[in-house]
Amino acid sequence: LEMQRDMARRSSVIMDGRDIGTVVLPQADVKIFLTASPQERAKRRHAELAAKGNTDSYETVLRDILERDERDSSQAEDALLFDTTDYSLEECVDRLLQIVREKTI
């Protein structure tokens, strides 16, 4: 935790994690809560795991995601919610850069 905060004090950073905007860096200039439908996240995660040789079924991955969401689904109140379900990676990057520019310039 302190290492992450120290990194942010020394330079501009992009951090990813469910508690970054609420616990690690609650005073961050830009907070974006990325999400997608559980089915889309399971599809993406299943493909990522399969590429690494993991044989878990899509249904298993989806169940794990739903369980994790139930345990930990809070976001910083001042975070911008960005649902990536219907966007390509390139479209997401473009939109995220636009958000960061708008909030920091």
Side-chain angles (χ1 to χ4, degrees):
L1 179 65
E2 193 51 42
M3 182 177 72
Q4 289 171 305
R5 288 179 177 158
D6 187 52
M7 286 171 40
R9 277 191 290 273
R10 287 187 279 120
S11 62
S12 294
V13 295
I14 296 173
M15 290 192 184
D16 172 46
R18 290 187 173 224
D19 67 348
I20 298 299
T22 55
V23 176
V24 180
L25 299 172
Q27 301 305 319
D29 294 331
V30 181
K31 297 179 195 176
I32 302 168
F33 188 85
L34 289 177
T35 192
S37 70
Q39 295 76 13
E40 181 63 23
R41 287 185 287 134
K43 181 179 119 184
R44 294 171 185 173
R45 181 72 174 144
H46 182 257
E48 177 186 354
L49 291 171
K52 295 177 181 177
N54 184 298
T55 59
D56 287 348
S57 69
Y58 165 83
E59 290 76 16
T60 298
V61 175
L62 176 59
R63 185 182 66 242
D64 290 347
I65 284 173
L66 292 171
E67 288 173 1
R68 183 176 180 195
D69 283 355
E70 191 170 319
R71 284 192 316 268
D72 184 21
S73 63
S74 63
Q75 72 183 58
E77 288 181 16
D78 57 342
L80 179 107
L81 179 64
F82 180 36
D83 187 329
T84 66
T85 301
D86 297 319
Y87 297 97
S88 69
L89 177 59
E90 294 78 17
E91 290 169 323
C92 290
V93 170
D94 288 344
R95 178 67 180 124
L96 292 170
L97 287 171
Q98 178 186 8
I99 292 166
V100 170
R101 286 184 188 117
E102 288 172 359
K103 295 219 177 250
T104 59
I105 295 177

